[in-house]
Amino acid sequence: MKYAFVFATAIAVAGFTTAPSSAADVSPTAPSDGKQATKIAPEEEAFFESKIRPLLIEHCYECHSRQSGESSGELFVDAADSLRTGGTSGPALVPGDPEASLMIKAVRYDDAEYEMPPTGKLDESEIKLLEQWIQMGAPDPRNSIAEPPQKTSPMDIDPRSHWAFNAPQRFRGDVAVGEDDCDVMDAIARALADDAGIALSDRCDDQTLIRRLYHDLTGLPPTIAQINAFVASSDADKHFRLVDQLLASPQFAERFARHWMDVARYADTIGYALAGKERRLEGSDRYRDWLIRAFATDIPLDQMIRLQLAADRFDPANKNGDLDAMGFLTVGRRFLNRYDTIDDRIDVITRGLMGMTVACARCHDHKFDPIPTTDYYSLLGILQSSETPEDAASPLALVDRAKPADSHVFLRGQPGNRGETAPRQYLTALRKPDEPRFTDGSGRRELAERLASHENPLVARVFVNRIWMHLIGRPIVDSTSDFGVRTEAPPLVDVLDELAAEFAEHWSVKRLVRRIVTSRVYAQSAEPADDRALRLDPENRLAARGNRRRRDFESLRDSVLAVSGRLDRTIGGPPVEIHLASPSPRRTLYAMIDRQNLPSLFRTFDVASPDAHTPKRFFTTVPQQALFLMNHPQIGAFARSLAEQVETNRQDAAAQVDRMFERILSRPPSAGERETCVAFLRQPAGQREQRFNPQLAWRYGTSPANAESRVTEFRPLAVFSGATWQDQDKLPATSELGYASIGAENGHPGRKHAVVRRWTAPASGRVTISGMVGHRNDQGDGVELAIWVGDRRLWRENQKSNNRPFRNLSADVAAGETVDFVVSPRASDSFDSFFLRCQVSLKSDHGEYFEGDSKRDFAGPIERGNEEPLSRLAQLAQTLLLSNEFVFVD
């Protein structure tokens, strides 16, 4: 600022209406040096006491008095000599000359940058009083005020005195290792609990353990077959083998990529944009996909840091795809003020990697930590000396400018008010006394190397603390992105340092995760050993028990997709909209994140804000979450899909209940649950008056091919391409369904799956079916069409290189019964594209007529929520999806 005292913040902070808190505020104070204030005339003293002192107290003392402890712009207004001495920009007033007094310029609002008070201009009468007072010579009867004892400046703190600024060391203490302890960290935690008089919880059962492992390492639930196999195994190393299996799965990489995307404030749009400017952040998904690859291949974290900050120096042509790693810096919000964009990047580097709140030093030295303002502008110089090239191999890349330069310190954060030059270098608190400044281009590579060093006291600690939070349920250090001097060493600091020191020896994320999830601490039951344990450590800071956790939004939605058979396991690709009425089968990781218009669904379920680095997510419980699971069309679609897949035996309600529990909760129901649910299924579903919609009568799916061409398990196709229903966005799908697809008059079976057009009868009556099937390729061995009404097959023919009609096939149907047109591959699925056109007419028992035409009625996703009520079986599916057993991990 031009006048940094701004009057300062100038006549001061304005508009505060703070009344004097004691007589000391309005009466003279004895001078500290024994001298009396200059004598003034009685009428001048009366003018000051009645007009000027109240005005200063009301508008200025809050930010410019010793009693408040504030001196914005280093200006005090509570003593005569302080006003004449002024602040960092010089005297606040010139006695006898209002026009030369900075105070008057500030309160007149002559300069838009220094308008004071900032909350509103003083009344003209008040300004006139100040002008009159200064014209009189600024008579002020107040004596000097003794300066309060100087507090120790944060800049005087010895970094070695703070635990987090010293490199972590492997544990060398003497602790008794218990029989159940799997690691030294277990012994450390046990010893702390013993000292506190807290009993440890027992080990959880195998069912709970496998659920935890699948949730924490993949974000998906295990199937009942996987649970049963794990529980039945007597192998001593089954826990370790399962961990290795999950760590090797693509789902592990997707899970941990999403965790890091919170740190990197990932989004697919730039945020606020002027009209006509492209809002899509080009290449954002390339950074996400790079993270997946990095975690899948276990790129060491130190190398991940180097690539995310300076990949232009390691893979400039993007031959390895590593230039996309620089999205760590460039996927953040783009501000109209370029210095705000740089500030965002400084914040993600320092809080995200180091747990240091360096961005707080933009306008002044840090209030608590030994981070001078020069440290902030050292980093600003590094990033300001980097630019986005037009011809880069990745739109996410930064490169060094041809002429890198240091930045000046911006006094009070104002670019127009330049101070000293801040050399591009590492942080003061962590820099060695003789450490040279950065000279290699912008300095980004040198900064990356300094962060990635095994000697760095913060990076390994901060990362291990984040991983512990994701796996154990709460972090060791609660302030996950602030390891500054106000952060005391946590009770489990020895566990943190043991893990961090060992991690910095190899930087393998998978090795770190394996160590934590094979520990006794990880496998503890969430039930406290006794009431005393809960009373003495209610927050479980000593890790004496497991932490009961709810699924985060990504895991919840992905789990719904998985149990309903709709999950598309394709890795990578462009972002997709997931909040629309028609559900997308992609994992939630691939959701479009629009900064400016973030769907309310994300906010409802506490998804990380993409506007800034997110240290950790908070889990709220609000009605909107339950309302989404109860009412959103997506959940209705999933419930219907589950019901269609489970409804293989219409007469056996108990078997349907068993299968529904196994699909959703990965366990059989208890006898009481089965009895209750069977009774529920036998009750008639609520009906509402509605018109028959022929498009809603059709569904498109697959079923495993078999000798009878029977539909043993109807699985709806998940993706509508605009012309065909298929399993994934592109054909052939990478799943086992391959080319399986259905269009208006065409389709293709899968390798081992038939494709099924299903028409559901809206009423009981007599159905008549006609149409034509064709195979129009000389190559291949053709296809087979079978037509089923319920469990009765009406027609079955092989078709090769010609067309064949079917006419006037008739059968009785019950309301809700299905007519299935099943096209199966023969020995080979090569050249199996087929033609199919079919018409269905139904005369109901009450004389109504309903018609279906496969071509006329063919459509993409249709919102069914207000048109078609859920069946009882679909209602049961939705109820189980809403249950705590499904929503919580254990």
Side-chain angles (χ1 to χ4, degrees), residues 421-729:
T421 299
R424 303 192 305 282
Q425 59 187 1
Y426 195 48
L427 300 183
T428 301
L430 305 177
R431 195 170 62 239
K432 299 176 182 177
D434 57 348
E435 186 171 335
R437 56 160 296 158
F438 298 156
T439 57
D440 184 3
S442 68
R444 266 186 302 106
R445 177 169 182 169
E446 290 164 295
L447 175 62
E449 294 289 357
R450 197 64 177 79
L451 292 172
S453 169
H454 70 277
E455 297 178 351
N456 191 302
L458 288 169
V459 170
R461 274 196 184 101
V462 170
F463 186 81
V464 167
N465 190 56
R466 296 192 196 283
I467 296 298
W468 182 275
M469 172 180 67
H470 293 309
L471 298 176
I472 302 299
R474 68 159 297 155
I476 294 175
V477 177
D478 287 333
S479 54
T480 56
S481 292
D482 184 0
F483 278 53
V485 297
R486 289 189 301 169
T487 301
E488 298 180 355
L492 293 175
V493 65
D494 287 338
V495 171
L496 177 62
D497 282 4
E498 162 64 24
L499 290 171
E502 195 249 354
F503 178 59
E505 295 173 2
H506 55 73
W507 296 107
S508 167
V509 177
K510 288 189 177 181
R511 186 169 164 182
L512 170 65
V513 171
R514 182 185 293 107
R515 184 177 181 188
I516 294 175
V517 300
T518 56
S519 67
R520 175 192 55 77
V521 168
Y522 180 83
Q524 289 176 138
S525 169
E527 292 294 332
D530 50 38
D531 292 342
R532 177 181 173 83
L534 195 60
R535 186 175 68 257
L536 293 178
D537 188 13
E539 295 182 344
N540 197 26
R541 291 178 60 84
L542 298 180
R545 61 183 180 276
N547 294 293
R548 199 179 307 279
R549 288 177 288 159
R550 197 176 69 197
R551 293 187 184 278
D552 53 84
F553 175 62
E554 290 86 350
S555 175
L556 176 62
R557 181 180 174 276
D558 293 348
S559 296
V560 173
L561 283 168
V563 301
S564 61
R566 302 285 291 271
L567 180 62
D568 179 355
R569 296 178 184 265
T570 304
I571 305 297
V576 296
E577 300 285 3
I578 68 166
H579 64 287
L580 306 178
S582 177
S584 167
R586 298 305 311 276
R587 285 199 73 166
T588 314
L589 166 76
Y590 302 109
M592 165 68 78
I593 304 296
D594 187 337
R595 278 195 171 96
Q596 189 170 347
N597 300 300
L598 189 69
S600 59
L601 173 64
F602 294 85
R603 296 190 295 271
T604 296
F605 283 92
D606 307 306
V607 172
S609 169
D611 284 338
H613 157 74
T614 300
K616 59 182 177 182
R617 293 194 188 183
F618 296 94
F619 286 82
T620 61
T621 301
V622 295
Q624 291 88 337
Q625 294 165 355
L627 290 172
F628 171 83
L629 294 172
M630 292 171 64
N631 299 318
H632 198 278
Q634 282 194 25
I635 303 301
F638 293 133
R640 287 188 181 91
S641 178
L642 276 160
E644 289 172 345
Q645 296 169 59
V646 167
E647 197 173 15
T648 56
N649 187 336
R650 302 179 189 282
Q651 305 306 316
D652 193 347
Q656 292 177 2
V657 170
D658 287 353
R659 196 167 185 199
M660 192 68 79
F661 268 74
E662 291 170 357
R663 285 289 297 271
I664 298 176
L665 302 182
S666 299
R667 66 169 178 85
S670 67
E673 289 170 333
R674 184 182 294 108
E675 181 180 354
T676 299
C677 292
V678 167
F680 174 78
L681 293 183
R682 288 174 177 166
Q683 297 173 5
Q687 300 293 325
R688 64 169 73 103
E689 195 70 29
Q690 56 185 319
R691 296 179 60 186
F692 173 66
N693 184 332
Q695 290 182 330
L696 289 174
W698 293 95
R699 297 187 188 277
Y700 311 93
T702 64
S703 179
N706 56 74
E708 295 183 346
S709 298
R710 180 190 292 271
V711 178
T712 57
E713 180 178 353
F714 182 83
R715 173 184 168 186
L717 287 165
V719 174
F720 184 67
S721 69
T724 62
W725 283 94
Q726 54 204 47
D727 190 47
Q728 296 176 358
D729 291 331

Side-chain angles (χ1 to χ4, degrees), residues 715-845:
R715 173 184 168 186
L717 287 165
V719 174
F720 184 67
S721 69
T724 62
W725 283 94
Q726 54 204 47
D727 190 47
Q728 296 176 358
D729 291 331
K730 296 181 179 180
L731 290 177
T734 57
S735 69
E736 61 182 355
L737 295 182
Y739 282 99
S741 57
I742 300 176
E745 291 188 292
N746 62 302
H748 196 294
R751 301 182 186 96
K752 298 181 180 180
H753 287 76
V755 290
V756 183
R757 274 179 208 271
R758 169 168 282 185
W759 189 84
T760 301
S764 299
R766 184 77 176 173
V767 67
T768 302
I769 303 165
S770 299
M772 178 177 289
V773 61
H775 177 266
R776 299 170 176 177
N777 199 310
D778 293 335
Q779 303 182 68
D781 57 0
V783 297
E784 178 181 276
L785 171 66
I787 302 175
W788 293 76
V789 176
D791 57 0
R792 293 151 290 165
R793 188 172 65 202
L794 296 189
W795 199 77
R796 179 179 181 181
E797 290 288 343
N798 293 328
Q799 200 61 28
K800 169 81 167 65
S801 304
N802 62 5
N803 296 323
R804 179 167 299 183
F806 47 91
R807 299 186 179 93
N808 300 322
L809 307 174
S810 297
D812 292 329
V813 295
E817 198 164 25
T818 59
V819 178
D820 289 334
F821 299 86
V822 185
V823 182
S824 305
R826 301 185 70 190
S828 168
D829 69 332
S830 299
F831 307 101
D832 273 4
S833 294
F834 65 83
F835 167 87
L836 178 63
R837 179 84 183 264
C838 36
Q839 294 85 33
V840 183
S841 62
L842 169 66
K843 182 180 180 180
S844 79
D845 295 338

